[in-house]
Amino acid sequence: MDRIQLISIFFSLAVFATIFLLVKHRKVKEEYSILWFATALVFLYMSLDRYAVDRLGNLFGIAYKPTIILLLIAGFITLLLVHITVVITRLTDQNKEIIQELGLSNLNRKLPKVPREIAQKNSDILVIVPAYNEAENIGRVIADLKKLDLNPDILVVNDGSRDWTYDAAKATRQALVINLPNNLGIGGAVQTGFKWAARNEYRIAIQFDGDGQHIAAEIPKILDALKEQTANMVIGSRFIEKHTGYRSTFSRRLGIRTFMTVNSLLIGQKITDNTSGFRAYDRRAIEFLARYYPVDYPEPEAVILLGKNNFAIAEVPTAMQERYSGGSSIHGLLSIYYMVKVLLAVFMTALRKPVDVVALSKK
């Protein structure tokens, strides 16, 4: 092994370590880093096997194989693209904040024109309903929530839908509706709800999907657990008790089992339904997640985030029904990509230092 090969190995390891640290400190989003991790491993292999490029050249009949020059050029391009990725990640985060604040400020501006019984705060409990292209479902979801005796306030977050979800939610005249101008994904939409809840001093926030799979009559269960178990977050789980109702697909159940094993090991507490979007949060969790809620598909990552920051998590058995209409956006090969992406996000969240919650509460 000569000197240039040692340099190449060191450089490859340095690229891998750099990407790792950037992701750990949230300088690069997990989904952008997968390719860079793979690239670093390819560089390492090419460095360990000095004839790898030569064999590839022979395979394609290339006579001239400038291995060292190729490695140097590839290394330079990698550093350049890593820098671009950092910039894109920063711009994406800023774009999310702008879109959220636009939606929140537009709702505040329209409040004087909203019926008084909806515009004013009537409860200490806020139900946050993220909705993307749920025009056919959102009306029935709101009607189901209004049947509850506790009569919570309802906030629908229309996540840049391409259909008439916003108009359908407004037409019920039973919920406030935030209209995000662009799609942020479930994490960005739910975090917008947390920001509204934090700024309006709600004591409890309930996350409730807009597709009709959750049952409003199950909400008292998670509220009771929030109080009785002195938890900061309570998850409505489909898997604590066996039931004969609606079951998700085999691939989804396999993914759920995987997250259960990984997350339980990382936080030292068994959580059976890490992907459930049916959850209740107390005031402390609301304020924390208004700042730090994960984006994209955040439910499994949020379990790690709260667990690592010493928030108490509990679960209660709840039933779920098949969505009223439409289908999930995660299917086929996308489900494999989803698994890889979320597992990477979960591991990175577990490696990050806990947030200084005491300092946060003073701000």
Side-chain angles (χ1 to χ4, degrees):
M1 185 176 291
D2 54 28
R3 184 178 301 174
I4 192 65
Q5 192 174 6
L6 287 172
I7 293 173
S8 297
I9 292 171
F10 175 81
F11 177 81
S12 302
L13 293 173
V15 170
F16 189 94
T18 300
I19 297 297
F20 182 89
L21 291 173
L22 287 171
V23 176
K24 181 180 177 182
H25 295 290
R26 300 181 184 275
K27 300 296 184 182
V28 174
K29 292 179 68 175
E30 287 82 3
E31 65 179 305
Y32 296 146
S33 68
I34 294 173
L35 179 61
W36 300 124
F37 279 128
T39 302
L41 291 174
V42 170
F43 286 167
L44 182 60
Y45 167 71
M46 292 170 62
S47 302
L48 291 170
D49 184 358
R50 61 189 302 174
Y51 299 108
V53 175
D54 293 336
R55 280 196 292 271
L56 186 63
N58 291 332
L59 180 65
F60 291 96
I62 301 173
Y64 179 63
K65 299 174 283 291
T67 305
I68 303 302
I69 296 176
L70 179 61
L71 283 173
L72 291 174
I73 293 174
F76 174 77
I77 293 174
T78 299
L79 292 174
L80 177 63
L81 292 178
V82 166
H83 173 71
I84 293 173
T85 304
V86 172
V87 173
I88 290 174
T89 300
R90 188 183 305 121
L91 291 175
T92 300
D93 290 340
Q94 292 173 352
N95 182 64
K96 182 197 73 170
E97 293 289 335
I98 291 170
I99 291 172
Q100 289 177 330
E101 292 304 323
L102 278 173
L104 291 164
S105 62
N106 283 339
L107 177 57
N108 277 318
R109 181 171 53 82
K110 294 176 181 178
L111 279 181
K113 301 178 182 179
V114 175
R116 184 178 178 183
E117 63 274 13
I118 303 174
Q120 66 183 11
K121 181 180 175 183
N122 299 300
S123 172
D124 282 334
I125 302 173
L126 177 69
V127 180
I128 301 168
V129 185
Y132 176 65
N133 293 342
E134 299 290 357
E136 297 182 9
N137 301 325
I138 194 65
R140 282 180 284 184
V141 169
I142 294 172
D144 192 25
L145 289 167
K146 293 304 291 185
K147 293 176 183 177
L148 291 171
D149 291 336
L150 56 90
N151 193 29
D153 289 347
I154 303 171
L155 178 71
V156 175
V157 183
N158 176 45
D159 188 22
S161 298
R162 295 191 298 263
D163 64 5
W164 59 95
T165 297
Y166 176 66
D167 294 326
K170 277 184 62 180
T172 65
R173 300 177 69 85
Q174 294 181 314
L176 284 176
V177 187
I178 291 179
N179 191 33
L180 299 179
N182 291 95
N183 178 257
L184 294 179
I186 183 68
V190 173
Q191 187 183 41
T192 305
F194 283 135
K195 288 183 176 183
W196 180 265
R199 294 173 189 181
N200 289 277
E201 299 183 344
Y202 281 94
R203 183 172 56 88
I204 295 172
I206 299 169
Q207 183 181 342
F208 195 89
D209 287 351
D211 57 11
Q213 287 190 312
H214 300 153
I215 302 170
E218 299 281 81
I219 286 178
K221 289 184 182 179
I222 61 175
L223 291 180
D224 289 343
L226 197 67
K227 179 180 179 180
E228 294 169 2
Q229 300 187 41
T230 60
N232 302 112
M233 177 179 74
V234 176
I235 302 171
S237 172
R238 296 159 283 182
F239 306 109
I240 293 178
E241 296 179 354
K242 292 184 177 180
H243 58 85
T244 57
Y246 170 74
R247 299 181 72 195
S248 55
T249 63
F250 171 77
S251 60
R252 280 177 171 268
R253 294 199 304 274
L254 179 62
I256 289 166
R257 294 287 183 184
T258 301
F259 291 133
M260 179 184 73
T261 302
V262 171
N263 281 12
S264 299
L265 288 172
L266 290 175
I267 66 172
Q269 177 183 351
K270 184 178 180 180
I271 303 296
T272 65
D273 199 351
N274 290 270
T275 63
S276 171
F278 187 19
R279 304 179 176 194
Y281 308 84
D282 71 354
R283 176 70 186 174
R284 180 166 168 254
I286 291 170
E287 292 178 346
F288 180 81
L289 294 174
R291 287 175 174 262
Y292 299 107
Y293 197 67
V295 296
D296 293 332
Y297 304 100
E299 284 85 6
E301 189 180 348
V303 171
I304 299 298
L305 181 63
L306 291 174
K308 291 285 289 185
N309 285 278
N310 298 316
F311 287 85
I313 303 172
E315 285 188 295
V316 293
T318 54
M320 187 179 74
Q321 60 194 3
E322 193 168 0
R323 60 183 293 138
Y324 292 140
S325 64
S328 172
S329 60
I330 306 173
H331 52 79
L333 293 177
L334 282 176
S335 61
I336 299 175
Y337 173 68
Y338 167 77
M339 280 283 296
V340 173
K341 179 174 143 180
V342 176
L343 283 173
L344 176 60
V346 162
F347 282 119
M348 288 300 176
T349 300
L351 290 171
R352 291 171 185 138
K353 292 181 179 179
V355 177
D356 189 345
V357 180
V358 175
L360 175 64
S361 63
K362 294 179 180 179
K363 293 183 179 179

